[in-house]
């Protein structure tokens, strides 16, 4: 990866661009494709200056050789998607502009050439019905490189979709920049991002309607077995107002307001804004606000037992000035509590209060790494180690909110993936219980610790690790995360802010791997022997005949020898 600091002309058939820019940048990249091929451009990670608007800071993509070519798309701080753009001409132009705020912007973009309609582009598809299954290309064999697969799930009317990944193994990196799965809450990738996942996770998603879109995007670095997914449906709860919903996820907040509801309040659909006036809705059959969880002026409050995100929609009658009077506001509130996301929406207009509830959770994953640099994750399973080898584990929170802290509350080892009665504590209530455990200081959205492979591995073939994770507001000085180790006497004093658990494993000893490899080699030698029963009978018969012949020869020799001995004895007597 890598590219000159501010702009370049690119001709390679594929390339990953890791771009870092500061304030007041104005940089242009041009990509020139080969004949009869299309350019696909994937914006897998972007971090603009906080609260920047599209007018002052953005990425613009033009379908041609210059910024005078037609605008193909735009990416901004509040873009609620993983943008993927494709050229219709022989080149693309990429323009990044930044405002005057002192902040380091980071972008990860990669592109490649492909031929539309070719066999390699044949993946994804349409799924209908109340339930179904699908998987990545070649599953469970490694998925191919440079694929962009889209599955559109359409369920019966008045139902919602629950999506579960039963097996999930993609390339792991910190921000899911390389290979990833993205899930959208609707019939297309413009519907609002529910979440993005990579590595070894078991993500689950729930739609707010009867449509869901799933994307798999891969690059050319590493390929693993991919995923196997299933979906089911459940009836939608009767809405308080038709098509008026709020959906909260680890990454975003999505508010859908029906036009009839807004009309009943006397408000025009074009005169709406959030706390940040630059955040405006998309108007289709409904009025939709979809934005990253910590953007658009969202206010976050740590309540000790939960984290609450609140934003307010200002309404005004058509043609009038936007105001913030008490009777012209809709307040949307997402409460992230233990193991679920409670959703609440209410309006102060006419003193009417509306409430909607749904389930959800922060997206958390855990992985082992090769060293304390935490740069190279262990990509294979099982993880074979030596006894007393130091293992490095990292828990990652995948969220657009940069002001969250990950705290490892409890980690337990067990020879059973279901974690039955036989367990061993590494960490308990934030306190190290194993002498070899070392926890690292909190770092961005990661929790890290190391320990040595323990005696469990001497007695059991496999060991699994389960960690309870607490998530807090990093700006709070009195949160559970800030209190660290809690002794037994004090554990009941402070409730958890938000808690979930994640499992990784199995861990196995290398000596077991060597034994298994030796056993396999013996099996292969045995497999090379003839398997035909008639052949066995022939060899057995030949062996018996051979033994019989040997016995006959021995008998003759013994008889002859006896005769010679007797003759000699007689001669002696005569003498």
């Amino acid at each position: 990866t890598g590219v000159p600091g501010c702009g370049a002309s690119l001709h390679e058939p594929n390339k990953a661009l890791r771009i870092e820019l500061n304030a007041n940048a104005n940089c242009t990249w041009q990509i020139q494709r080969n004949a009869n091929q299309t350019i696909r451009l994937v914006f897998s990670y972007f971090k603009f200056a906080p609260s920047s608007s599209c007018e002052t800071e953005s990425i613009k993509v033009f379908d041609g050789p210059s910024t005078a070519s037609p605008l193909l798309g735009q990416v901004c701080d509040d873009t609620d998607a993983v943008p993927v753009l494709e050229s219709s001409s022989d080149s693309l132009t990429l323009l990044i502009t930044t405002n005057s705020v002192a902040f380091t912007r980071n972008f990860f973009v990669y592109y490649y050439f492909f031929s539309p309609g070719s066999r390699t582009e044949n993946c994804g598809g349409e799924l209908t019905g109340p339930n179904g299954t699908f998987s990545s290309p070649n599953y469970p064999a490694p998925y191919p490189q440079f694929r962009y697969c889209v599955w559109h799930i359409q369920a019966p009317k008045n139902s919602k979709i629950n999506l579960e990944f039963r097996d999930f193994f993609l390339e792991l990196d910190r921000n899911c920049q390389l290979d990833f799965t993205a899930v959208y809450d609707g019939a297309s990738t413009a519907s609002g991002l529910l979440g993005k996942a990579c590595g070894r996770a078991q993500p689950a998603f729930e739609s707010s309607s009867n449509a869901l879109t799933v994307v798999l995007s891969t690059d050319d670095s590493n390929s693993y077995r991919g995923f196997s997914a299933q979906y089911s449906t459940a009836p939608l709860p009767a809405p308080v107002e038709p098509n008026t919903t709020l959906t909260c996820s680890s990454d975003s907040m999505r508010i859908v307001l029906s036009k009839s509801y807004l009309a009943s309040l006397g408000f025009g659909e074009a005169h709406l804004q959030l706390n940040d006036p630059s955040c405006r809705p998309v108007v289709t059959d409904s009025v939709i606000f979809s934005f990253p969880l910590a953007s658009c002026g969202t206010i976050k409050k740590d309540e000790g037992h939960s984290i609450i995100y609140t934003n307010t929609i200002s309404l005004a009658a058509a043609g009038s000035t936007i105001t913030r009077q008490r009777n012209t506001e809709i307040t949307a509130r997402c409460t992230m509590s233990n193991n679920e996301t409670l959703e609440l929406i209410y309006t102060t207009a006419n003193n009417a209060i509306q409430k909607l509830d749904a389930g959800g959770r922060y997206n958390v994953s855990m992985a082992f790494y090769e060293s304390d640099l935490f740069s190279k994750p262990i990509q294979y399973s099982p993880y074979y180690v030596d006894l007393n080898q130091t293992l490095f584990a990292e828990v990652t929170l995948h969220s657009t909110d940069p002001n969250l802290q990950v705290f490892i509350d409890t980690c337990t080892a067990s020879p059973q993936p279901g974690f039955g009665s036989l367990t061993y504590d590494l960490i308990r209530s934030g306190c190290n219980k194993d002498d070899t455990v070392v926890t690292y200081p909190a770092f961005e959205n990661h929790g890290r610790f190391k320990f040595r492979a323990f005696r469990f591995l001497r007695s059991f073939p496999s060991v699994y690790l389960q960690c309870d994770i607490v998530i807090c507001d990093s700006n709070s000085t009195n949160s559970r995360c800030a209190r660290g180790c809690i002794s037994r006497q004090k554990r009941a004093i402070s409730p958890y802010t938000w808690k979930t658990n994640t499992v990784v494993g199995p861990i196995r000893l290398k000596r077991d791997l060597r034994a298994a490899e030796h056993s396999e080699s013996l099996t292969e030698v045995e497999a090379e022997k003839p398997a035909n029963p008639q052949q066995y009978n022939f060899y057995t018969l030949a062996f018996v005949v051979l033994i019989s012949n040997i016995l006959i020869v021995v008998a003759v020799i013994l008889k002859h020898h006896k005769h010679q001995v007797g003759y000699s004895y007689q001669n002696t007597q005569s003498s």
Side-chain angles (χ1 to χ4, degrees), residues 331-384:
T331 300
R333 186 172 69 182
C334 293
T335 302
M336 305 294 245
S337 63
N338 294 358
N339 295 324
E340 64 179 352
T341 304
L342 300 178
E343 301 175 355
L344 209 62
I345 182 169
Y346 57 89
T347 173
T348 57
N350 302 324
N351 296 319
I353 298 178
Q354 304 176 42
K355 297 181 180 180
L356 296 171
D357 297 307
R361 57 190 297 133
Y362 281 121
N363 185 5
V364 177
S365 64
M366 181 165 63
F368 289 112
Y369 282 77
E370 292 183 0
S371 70
D372 58 3
L373 296 177
F374 294 96
S375 59
K376 295 182 178 180
I378 302 300
Q379 297 279 16
Y380 47 85
S381 178
Y383 180 23
Y384 285 96

Side-chain angles (χ1 to χ4, degrees), residues 79-100:
T79 298
D80 185 30
V82 184
V84 178
L85 301 174
E86 297 177 0
S87 68
S88 63
S89 65
D90 60 357
S91 58
L92 282 181
T93 300
L94 183 69
L95 172 65
I96 304 181
T97 56
T98 64
N99 59 27
S100 59

Side-chain angles (χ1 to χ4, degrees), residues 2-8 18-22 25-29 96 107:
V3 69
C6 186
R18 198 182 302 274
I19 303 170
E20 183 177 298
L21 296 175
N22 294 312
N26 191 304
C27 306
T28 303
W29 288 264
I96 304 181
F107 311 99

Side-chain angles (χ1 to χ4, degrees), residues 408-455:
I408 301 173
D409 178 78
T410 297
C411 277
T412 303
S414 174
Q416 304 160 338
F419 288 80
S421 58
L422 190 59
T423 59
Y424 177 78
D425 283 351
L426 292 172
I427 303 171
R428 173 67 61 179
S429 297
C431 306
N432 296 344
K433 294 299 182 182
D434 183 275
D435 293 339
T436 68
V437 172
V438 176
T439 54
Y440 293 85
F443 174 69
E444 294 181 348
N445 57 334
H446 307 286
R448 296 168 170 174
F449 66 100
K450 67 178 180 180
F451 63 97
R452 289 183 183 175
F454 32 84
R455 59 179 178 269

Side-chain angles (χ1 to χ4, degrees), residues 538-553:
F538 171 78
Y539 294 137
T540 303
L541 177 60
F543 180 74
V544 171
V545 171
L546 177 61
I547 293 297
S548 300
N549 291 336
I550 292 173
L551 291 175
I552 291 170
V553 171

